[in-house]
Amino acid sequence: MSQSYPVPVVMTLAGNDPSGGAGIQADIEGIASMGCHAAPVITALTVQDSRDVYQLIPLDPDLVYAQARAVLADIPVAAFKVGLIGSPGIAEVLEVLFEDYPHIPVILDPVLAAGGGHDFDSVHMSETIRTLLPHVTVLTPNSVEARRLAPEADTLDACAMALLAQDCEYVLITGTHENTPRVVNTLYANHRLLESYTWERLPHSYHGSGCTLAAALAGLLAQGQEVLSAIYQAQEYTWEALRGGYRIGAGQHMPNRLFWADDNEQGDADDD
């Protein structure tokens, strides 16, 4: 007998990236890689390639709300993953959704700028993102985003404390933008630094690395993983996806989020 809803469902609310490196496609691949079903809700359309974003068109907030409500009324969602929000109006409808489903964990990747440098009105968007923090289980900013979200802070530790003070449960700050020999990611909760994770610095710039991390984390939490274990495993998966990345355009490398399905990788492992 078939079981109803045998696969955990993650609702991803994010923009569409036609290059496939970031946004909704990145989320779908990352969520599926964790053994989950992705329920994609589009928040914005973009004109972009592997180099940069050239145009952003937020959807009508009512349409975003209707997309999410249709799924939530039909399918049990185990986690929310939020990427590009697009507008304050969309943030308002997300807040309503999260208030109505307080038991569902929320992973928020605070997208303030594209990898190629296009700025999504960062001051305006930073204020918008801060309104959602009381509903967020894990916030995953890179160091640049953390400083923009907490401009009054003078260190990354202080940024994390300021974000936790707004009732965000966990803050994971990634360190790829810092000038360090190895990448150091830092996890904060309960008004303190919980753990630092050190990863080999890879040689390229990647389009969609933040989406990959947050989507994987949402998938692992949807599977019932404990938060600290899920945070480590999501980083490990992301590092492997970046290590296996490829350059198919004129800009950044694309993460290989399906590296685990690569026959060549399996062959290499068999030769070890």
Side-chain angles (χ1 to χ4, degrees):
M1 179 182 297
S2 63
Q3 180 181 354
S4 296
Y5 310 118
V7 180
V9 176
V10 176
M11 176 174 287
T12 170
L13 305 110
N16 184 60
D17 170 10
S19 79
I24 285 290
Q25 180 168 322
D27 292 348
I28 292 171
E29 292 176 354
I31 291 164
S33 293
M34 299 302 109
C36 296
H37 176 86
V41 172
I42 305 293
T43 59
L45 302 178
T46 69
V47 177
Q48 66 177 297
D49 56 21
S50 64
R51 293 170 294 188
D52 207 351
V53 175
Y54 308 105
Q55 190 175 3
L56 168 67
I57 308 96
L59 267 63
D60 185 292
D62 289 341
L63 180 56
V64 176
Y65 186 74
Q67 291 179 76
R69 280 293 188 191
V71 174
L72 288 162
D74 179 50
I75 299 172
V77 170
F80 290 117
K81 183 272 176 186
V82 182
L84 178 62
I85 295 171
S87 74
I90 293 173
E92 289 176 8
V93 302
L94 296 186
E95 190 170 11
V96 171
L97 289 173
F98 300 154
E99 287 174 352
D100 287 349
Y101 294 88
H103 62 287
I104 301 178
V106 177
I107 311 306
L108 174 55
D109 173 24
V111 180
L112 297 176
H118 179 89
D119 202 310
F120 297 118
D121 187 12
S122 62
V123 175
H124 184 67
M125 193 55 65
S126 294
E127 294 173 354
T128 297
I129 288 170
R130 283 195 288 267
T131 66
L132 295 174
L133 292 182
H135 305 283
V136 172
T137 308
V138 187
L139 183 72
T140 62
N142 60 42
S143 56
V144 175
E145 292 164 340
R147 292 186 178 101
R148 290 187 176 188
L149 289 170
E152 71 284 357
D154 57 358
T155 67
L156 287 176
D157 285 345
C159 289
M161 295 304 108
L163 296 169
L164 290 172
Q166 297 179 66
D167 292 331
C168 179
E169 191 171 351
Y170 293 87
V171 176
L172 175 66
I173 300 179
T174 58
T176 53
H177 290 78
E178 298 301 287
N179 186 22
T180 54
R182 294 168 69 84
V183 173
V184 180
N185 300 335
T186 46
L187 177 66
Y188 304 83
N190 299 320
H191 307 290
R192 64 187 178 91
L193 171 66
L194 289 186
E195 194 161 354
S196 294
Y197 311 88
T198 303
W199 302 92
E200 179 185 346
R201 184 173 290 279
L202 297 167
H204 306 297
S205 173
Y206 300 90
H207 184 51
S209 56
C211 306
T212 305
L213 174 64
L217 178 53
L220 289 163
L221 292 180
Q223 290 281 12
Q225 286 271 7
E226 186 271 331
V227 174
L228 295 184
S229 174
I231 285 171
Y232 178 79
Q233 289 182 53
Q235 292 176 81
E236 187 174 44
Y237 165 78
T238 301
W239 189 87
E240 290 291 350
L242 301 183
R243 184 173 72 95
Y246 44 84
R247 190 168 188 247
I248 53 176
Q252 296 177 299
H253 281 61
M254 304 286 185
N256 180 10
R257 286 172 283 262
L258 304 182
F259 66 86
W260 48 267
D262 190 333
D263 289 339
N264 291 330
E265 289 283 342
Q266 183 62 47
D268 292 342
D270 291 343
D271 291 339
D272 290 343

